[in-house]
Amino acid sequence: MSRISDWMTRNRTHGRVDVKEWALGTAGPAGFTYGTHYVVTGLMVLAIVLYPLTQGIGSIVAVSVAIVAMAGRRMLENQVRRDFSDLEEAKTQYQRTRNAEYLEFIRLRVTQMLNDNKMLRPETKQALIDYVEWAEKRAARDERRRGA
């Protein structure tokens, strides 16, 4: 009941969209990666259907796969969070020391993250691209200063 009262008191203007987000559980802050709630919900429904047909064995398998999916997403989310922390630290250290190796680290790490992780949300990808653009601007500026 508190979710409904929260939704009603926020002066929101998107009505149906807000109700859909609330019903799906996607309202609120998203993570760095896509959620697994559709997959997990489907596996839970499959577990319910399989329970009488397989005397519970099929349900155990479906629930186990759902747990693995949730744990996998959690691990990916934690890894991306650590990577963002490393990128922010490299940015801070570059600003402090002007060591070009930090810019190279940012460029290489972002490239690897974008190539390796296909579960990144568009907002996360854009944030990573912003890091690369920042690093490239600083590298170009440093190059101009050295050449002048």
Side-chain angles (χ1 to χ4, degrees):
M1 196 64 172
S2 67
R3 286 180 118 182
I4 294 172
S5 64
D6 287 346
W7 177 72
M8 294 291 193
T9 59
R10 278 195 233 150
N11 297 326
R12 304 198 81 183
T13 58
H14 298 98
R16 299 182 103 184
V17 173
D18 292 339
V19 170
K20 182 179 178 185
E21 287 179 354
W22 172 79
L24 293 174
T26 58
F32 291 112
T33 60
Y34 285 111
T36 57
H37 56 279
Y38 290 123
V39 173
V40 170
T41 301
L43 287 167
M44 292 301 155
V45 169
L46 181 64
I48 292 168
V49 170
L50 288 176
Y51 186 79
L53 300 174
T54 62
Q55 287 78 35
I57 301 299
S59 295
I60 292 171
V61 171
V63 169
S64 299
V65 172
I67 291 170
V68 167
M70 289 187 299
R73 195 244 175 179
R74 175 73 180 216
M75 287 182 351
L76 282 174
E77 192 73 24
N78 288 337
Q79 180 62 45
V80 173
R81 194 175 320 281
R82 282 191 300 269
D83 289 340
F84 266 96
S85 176
D86 291 345
L87 290 171
E88 193 58 39
E89 182 62 24
K91 187 176 178 180
T92 302
Q93 290 300 324
Y94 170 77
Q95 291 170 340
R96 190 175 67 77
T97 65
R98 300 291 187 228
N99 185 345
E101 289 181 8
Y102 290 114
L103 299 176
E104 185 67 13
F105 169 79
I106 290 172
R107 190 184 63 74
L108 292 173
R109 188 67 195 118
V110 167
T111 303
Q112 182 183 15
M113 288 174 69
L114 291 172
N115 289 337
D116 291 349
N117 195 339
K118 304 303 179 200
M119 293 262 309
L120 295 176
R121 291 176 154 286
E123 302 87 18
T124 306
K125 289 179 183 178
Q126 186 57 50
L128 292 171
I129 290 168
D130 292 344
Y131 270 107
V132 169
E133 289 173 354
W134 178 86
E136 288 173 351
K137 284 179 186 176
R138 295 304 182 274
R141 186 185 69 194
D142 290 350
E143 188 64 33
R144 280 193 310 268
R145 285 183 180 172
R146 273 187 246 130

